[in-house]
Amino acid sequence: MKVYIDVLLLVNFFFDFFLLLGVKLLLKRKTSFVRLVLASLFGEVTCIFLFLPLSSISLLLSKLLVSIFIIILAFQYRELEYFKKNIFYFYLLSILLGGFVYFFKITFISEKDIFCNLIILFIIAPYLLYSYIKDNKDYRSSYTLRHSLDIYLEGKKYTYTAYLDTGNKLVDFYKKRPILLVYDEDLDFCYEDSILVPYKTLDDEGIIKCRKPDKVLLDKREISFDVLIGKSKEKFNIEGIDVILPNIIKEEFYD
């Protein structure tokens, strides 16, 4: 088998660089571009292992040792938890990116097609890494706004997943009570027993049927101030969400 040393070094350098850049962006690490380049250059040591008669265990330990030095060189060593998280995401991104590149190559591209391999390295791999980091950040941002909600109403307990909408200022027009907007087909509010609250948005206006709950637990903590439960006519566009919480909940409950 022919091995082009220059191509091997180039691929290995940029692969390490993209991984370190991914860790930097994902964990928001403060490090310089020079450190990332130096750490990636140090990673070229692993190419030497291809030409040494090492056993599988020796090869594994050698690469692990090199990875430790790469991480320390790129992000420094501040504390154990900081280091553990850096090396964990370095290997996680390595598995994701390496697995994709391997799958793409064995499925669509010949080993001898250097041009296509370079396209994978410089275009497809960075795009894949960018997409994963963006989706991960979006998910984590959304996840911090998700809360568990238990509503006790007329002797029944209803358990939901709620989303804190920081732009939502929906309150009771009469007493300024926050309205927890619930979409649940099993929840039936009739007009005779409901508090009718008018609302108006840029696109719509109408009446929300609301009820005063016996008790509400948000993340297993009881809400001590008065709130209303409003029944939504339409399902929410956020995956897995049953309740939309107004921003006043954050101001009153968490602050």
Side-chain angles (χ1 to χ4, degrees):
M1 181 179 68
K2 292 183 179 179
V3 178
Y4 297 93
I5 300 297
D6 53 346
V7 175
L8 177 64
L9 293 174
L10 182 69
V11 169
N12 192 70
F13 170 80
F14 278 101
F15 194 84
D16 285 339
F17 179 79
F18 290 143
L19 292 178
L20 293 172
L21 183 62
V23 173
K24 170 183 165 64
L25 296 175
L26 194 61
L27 300 181
K28 298 181 179 179
R29 299 306 194 206
K30 292 183 178 180
T31 188
S32 66
F33 176 81
V34 174
R35 275 189 166 274
L36 297 183
V37 171
L38 290 177
S40 302
L41 287 173
F42 183 79
E44 300 290 74
V45 173
T46 57
C47 295
I48 300 175
F49 299 154
L50 296 175
F51 306 98
L52 298 178
L54 299 175
S55 65
S56 299
I57 297 297
S58 299
L59 183 61
L60 176 63
L61 293 177
S62 300
K63 287 190 173 183
L64 180 60
L65 186 62
V66 171
S67 299
I68 291 173
F69 280 107
I70 288 175
I71 293 299
I72 294 175
L73 187 56
F75 306 108
Q76 301 182 331
Y77 183 91
R78 298 183 180 178
E79 58 183 11
L80 182 59
E81 194 62 33
Y82 176 87
F83 169 76
K84 283 166 57 179
K85 189 167 289 187
N86 287 340
I87 200 164
F88 172 78
Y89 277 96
F90 178 78
Y91 273 104
L92 177 64
L93 293 179
S94 178
I95 292 170
L96 290 173
L97 191 59
F100 171 80
V101 171
Y102 177 75
F103 168 78
F104 201 89
K105 287 179 65 175
I106 64 173
T107 305
F108 303 107
I109 295 175
S110 168
E111 288 289 338
K112 298 179 181 179
D113 197 336
I114 297 178
F115 177 73
C116 289
N117 279 279
L118 291 178
I119 289 179
I120 292 179
L121 177 64
F122 291 109
I123 299 178
I124 298 178
Y127 175 76
L128 176 71
L129 206 57
Y130 165 79
S131 299
Y132 172 77
I133 292 171
K134 182 179 181 301
D135 290 344
N136 185 277
K137 285 186 175 181
D138 291 343
Y139 175 77
R140 287 196 296 180
S141 175
S142 172
Y143 187 78
T144 59
L145 299 174
R146 293 173 182 253
H147 304 273
S148 64
L149 189 74
D150 296 318
I151 297 174
Y152 294 82
L153 183 65
E154 297 180 343
K156 294 183 179 180
K157 177 184 176 182
Y158 301 88
T159 300
Y160 302 111
T161 300
Y163 182 84
L164 180 63
D165 183 359
T166 55
N168 182 358
K169 303 183 183 299
L170 188 60
V171 295
D172 172 15
F173 179 76
Y174 312 104
K175 298 182 179 180
K176 305 302 180 184
R177 292 168 291 190
I179 297 177
L180 283 53
L181 205 55
V182 181
Y183 176 80
D184 185 351
E185 295 179 347
D186 296 329
L187 205 60
D188 188 22
F189 291 172
C190 59
Y191 278 100
E192 293 79 9
D193 300 328
S194 299
I195 301 172
L196 303 180
V197 178
Y199 73 93
K200 185 176 183 179
T201 65
L202 292 175
D203 305 320
D204 191 21
E205 61 179 64
I207 299 292
I208 301 176
K209 292 187 292 184
C210 300
R211 297 286 299 277
K212 189 176 185 306
D214 302 323
K215 183 172 65 173
V216 177
L217 300 181
L218 184 58
D219 294 332
K220 306 304 179 183
R221 290 170 52 198
E222 184 174 357
I223 295 179
S224 58
F225 49 92
D226 288 339
V227 297
L228 294 179
I229 306 301
K231 182 172 173 60
S232 174
K233 299 177 183 177
E234 299 180 357
K235 191 173 183 179
F236 306 122
N237 292 326
I238 308 174
E239 181 184 0
I241 295 300
D242 313 297
V243 182
I244 298 295
L245 304 174
N247 190 55
I248 194 172
I249 293 291
K250 176 184 177 182
E251 298 171 356
E252 298 286 341
F253 188 76
Y254 289 104
D255 293 349

